[in-house]
Short mmCIF file of all heavy atoms in Angstrom, two decimals:
data_model
loop_
_atom_site.label_atom_id
_atom_site.label_comp_id
_atom_site.label_asym_id
_atom_site.label_seq_id
_atom_site.Cartn_x
_atom_site.Cartn_y
_atom_site.Cartn_z
N GLU A 1256 -0.43 7.42 3.74
CA GLU A 1256 -1.51 6.52 3.95
C GLU A 1256 -1.88 5.95 2.58
O GLU A 1256 -2.20 6.59 1.66
CB GLU A 1256 -2.71 7.27 4.58
CG GLU A 1256 -3.86 6.44 4.80
CD GLU A 1256 -5.07 7.33 5.30
OE1 GLU A 1256 -4.92 7.82 6.44
OE2 GLU A 1256 -6.03 7.43 4.65
N LEU A 1257 -1.87 4.55 2.60
CA LEU A 1257 -2.14 3.78 1.34
C LEU A 1257 -3.43 2.94 1.56
O LEU A 1257 -3.57 2.31 2.56
CB LEU A 1257 -1.06 2.93 0.93
CG LEU A 1257 -1.21 1.95 -0.21
CD1 LEU A 1257 0.15 1.79 -0.89
CD2 LEU A 1257 -1.70 0.60 0.18
N SER A 1258 -4.25 3.01 0.48
CA SER A 1258 -5.48 2.07 0.54
C SER A 1258 -5.65 1.70 -0.98
O SER A 1258 -4.93 2.22 -1.84
CB SER A 1258 -6.72 2.77 1.04
OG SER A 1258 -7.08 3.82 0.27
N ILE A 1259 -6.54 0.77 -1.22
CA ILE A 1259 -6.85 0.36 -2.61
C ILE A 1259 -8.17 1.05 -3.04
O ILE A 1259 -9.14 0.76 -2.40
CB ILE A 1259 -6.87 -1.19 -2.79
CG1 ILE A 1259 -5.50 -1.74 -2.37
CG2 ILE A 1259 -7.31 -1.55 -4.15
CD1 ILE A 1259 -5.52 -3.30 -2.42
N ALA A 1260 -8.09 1.77 -4.08
CA ALA A 1260 -9.32 2.37 -4.56
C ALA A 1260 -10.10 1.40 -5.48
O ALA A 1260 -11.29 1.44 -5.48
CB ALA A 1260 -8.98 3.69 -5.42
N LYS A 1261 -9.33 0.58 -6.16
CA LYS A 1261 -10.01 -0.44 -7.03
C LYS A 1261 -9.08 -1.62 -7.19
O LYS A 1261 -7.89 -1.50 -7.49
CB LYS A 1261 -10.32 0.25 -8.40
CG LYS A 1261 -11.10 -0.77 -9.34
CD LYS A 1261 -11.43 -0.04 -10.65
CE LYS A 1261 -12.21 -1.06 -11.54
NZ LYS A 1261 -12.42 -0.44 -12.88
N LEU A 1262 -9.64 -2.76 -7.05
CA LEU A 1262 -8.90 -4.04 -7.30
C LEU A 1262 -9.56 -4.78 -8.36
O LEU A 1262 -10.69 -5.21 -8.43
CB LEU A 1262 -8.99 -4.93 -6.01
CG LEU A 1262 -8.15 -6.22 -5.97
CD1 LEU A 1262 -6.70 -5.94 -6.23
CD2 LEU A 1262 -8.40 -6.97 -4.66
N GLY A 1263 -8.75 -4.89 -9.58
CA GLY A 1263 -9.20 -5.51 -10.73
C GLY A 1263 -8.75 -6.95 -10.91
O GLY A 1263 -8.20 -7.49 -9.91
N ASN A 1264 -8.95 -7.54 -11.93
CA ASN A 1264 -8.51 -8.88 -12.24
C ASN A 1264 -6.99 -9.06 -12.21
O ASN A 1264 -6.43 -9.90 -11.56
CB ASN A 1264 -9.03 -9.39 -13.62
CG ASN A 1264 -8.65 -10.86 -13.88
OD1 ASN A 1264 -8.85 -11.71 -12.99
ND2 ASN A 1264 -8.10 -11.13 -15.02
N SER A 1265 -6.26 -8.11 -12.87
CA SER A 1265 -4.80 -8.15 -12.75
C SER A 1265 -4.34 -6.76 -12.29
O SER A 1265 -3.06 -6.66 -12.19
CB SER A 1265 -4.30 -8.43 -14.24
OG SER A 1265 -4.65 -7.45 -15.15
N SER A 1266 -5.17 -5.76 -12.12
CA SER A 1266 -4.64 -4.47 -11.74
C SER A 1266 -5.08 -4.02 -10.27
O SER A 1266 -6.03 -4.56 -9.74
CB SER A 1266 -5.13 -3.40 -12.76
OG SER A 1266 -6.59 -3.30 -12.54
N ILE A 1267 -4.26 -3.10 -9.80
CA ILE A 1267 -4.58 -2.51 -8.51
C ILE A 1267 -4.39 -1.07 -8.61
O ILE A 1267 -3.39 -0.59 -9.09
CB ILE A 1267 -3.57 -2.96 -7.38
CG1 ILE A 1267 -3.44 -4.51 -7.39
CG2 ILE A 1267 -3.91 -2.41 -6.08
CD1 ILE A 1267 -2.22 -4.94 -6.55
N GLU A 1268 -5.48 -0.25 -8.26
CA GLU A 1268 -5.29 1.13 -8.21
C GLU A 1268 -5.23 1.63 -6.75
O GLU A 1268 -6.16 1.50 -6.03
CB GLU A 1268 -6.48 1.88 -8.96
CG GLU A 1268 -6.40 3.34 -8.97
CD GLU A 1268 -7.48 4.06 -9.68
OE1 GLU A 1268 -8.22 3.46 -10.52
OE2 GLU A 1268 -7.79 5.24 -9.37
N PHE A 1269 -4.04 2.11 -6.39
CA PHE A 1269 -3.76 2.51 -5.08
C PHE A 1269 -4.21 4.05 -4.91
O PHE A 1269 -4.04 4.78 -5.83
CB PHE A 1269 -2.35 2.47 -4.67
CG PHE A 1269 -1.74 1.08 -4.64
CD1 PHE A 1269 -1.11 0.57 -5.71
CD2 PHE A 1269 -2.03 0.24 -3.50
CE1 PHE A 1269 -0.60 -0.87 -5.63
CE2 PHE A 1269 -1.61 -1.08 -3.43
CZ PHE A 1269 -0.83 -1.56 -4.55
#
Side-chain angles (χ1 to χ4, degrees):
E1256 178 182 294
L1257 175 147
S1258 62
I1259 297 176
K1261 184 178 179 189
L1262 184 60
N1264 184 49
S1265 62
S1266 66
I1267 309 164
E1268 184 178 334
F1269 294 101

